[in-house]
Amino acid sequence: MNLTEEKLTNLGSALQADNLSAPATATAEIPDSKIVLRAGDEPMRRDLITLFLNNRGYVVHSAENGQGLLEVAEKHARDGFALMITDLVMPKMGGLELASEIRQRYAESRILFVSGYTDDIVILEGRLNARTAFLRKPFNFSALKAKIEGLLDA
């Protein structure tokens, strides 16, 4: 199923109906391998990806743009994180600038760029490698899962 606005709404309702809400997290330290950072300016899509990841045992810290995610990372992921998922195009600070800042602070970080703009893959030319991937919107959760597993297994 593609993540269109209508389908996002239906999926969110279905997840809530199945009691697949975000699990409660203990106040104990969360291992870096379970922390995901997420930047995206579409709240519904950001929330559904968060819910998807929560149900797979990850704790997601998110923001609506790159600038906000840098602040979130400083607060919640000082020692590192498993993965960052970011839109390429966002207000204030886009995904490429965010990735550059994150890599300066966390050199070994794994980054998944997502975008619905077909020309964005050209921008990433030469930047994709074992620790950096791209996923075109709209995508389904199977594709998201495969990209995440590929990055984390690298």
Side-chain angles (χ1 to χ4, degrees):
M1 169 178 18
N2 286 335
L3 293 178
T4 63
E5 289 302 316
E6 181 179 333
K7 289 179 181 176
L8 283 171
T9 301
N10 293 341
L11 180 59
S13 298
L15 289 173
Q16 288 176 346
D18 288 338
N19 292 322
L20 292 177
S21 58
T25 56
T27 55
E29 283 292 311
I30 299 164
D32 298 347
S33 63
K34 289 296 182 182
I35 296 174
V36 174
L37 301 178
R38 170 71 175 116
D41 58 347
E42 298 173 72
M44 187 179 297
R45 189 178 308 272
R46 191 174 61 237
D47 292 347
L48 282 171
I49 290 171
T50 296
L51 184 60
F52 174 80
L53 292 167
N54 286 157
N55 284 308
R56 278 146 187 81
Y58 294 97
V59 174
V60 180
H61 299 288
S62 63
E64 65 184 21
N65 59 55
Q67 192 174 46
L69 197 65
L70 287 176
E71 294 168 13
V72 167
E74 194 64 34
K75 184 175 181 182
H76 295 288
R78 285 189 181 171
D79 296 327
F81 53 91
L83 172 71
M84 179 178 77
I85 302 172
T86 181
D87 287 1
L88 274 170
V89 179
M90 297 178 288
K92 294 187 182 177
M93 179 188 288
L96 287 177
E97 187 178 352
L98 171 61
S100 177
E101 291 285 331
I102 286 290
R103 285 266 163 81
Q104 287 178 21
R105 299 171 192 191
Y106 311 94
E108 297 299 314
S109 59
R110 288 169 168 76
I111 299 172
L112 175 59
F113 291 104
V114 295
S115 179
Y117 298 99
T118 55
D119 293 340
D120 283 345
I121 190 66
V122 174
I123 294 170
L124 293 172
E125 213 170 285
R127 298 175 195 240
L128 302 179
N129 55 49
R131 293 182 298 116
T132 308
F134 175 77
L135 184 60
R136 186 183 317 268
K137 295 181 201 173
F139 53 83
N140 61 38
F141 285 117
S142 296
L144 176 62
K145 181 179 181 237
K147 286 289 186 177
I148 289 170
E149 288 173 350
L151 283 168
L152 295 180
D153 290 343

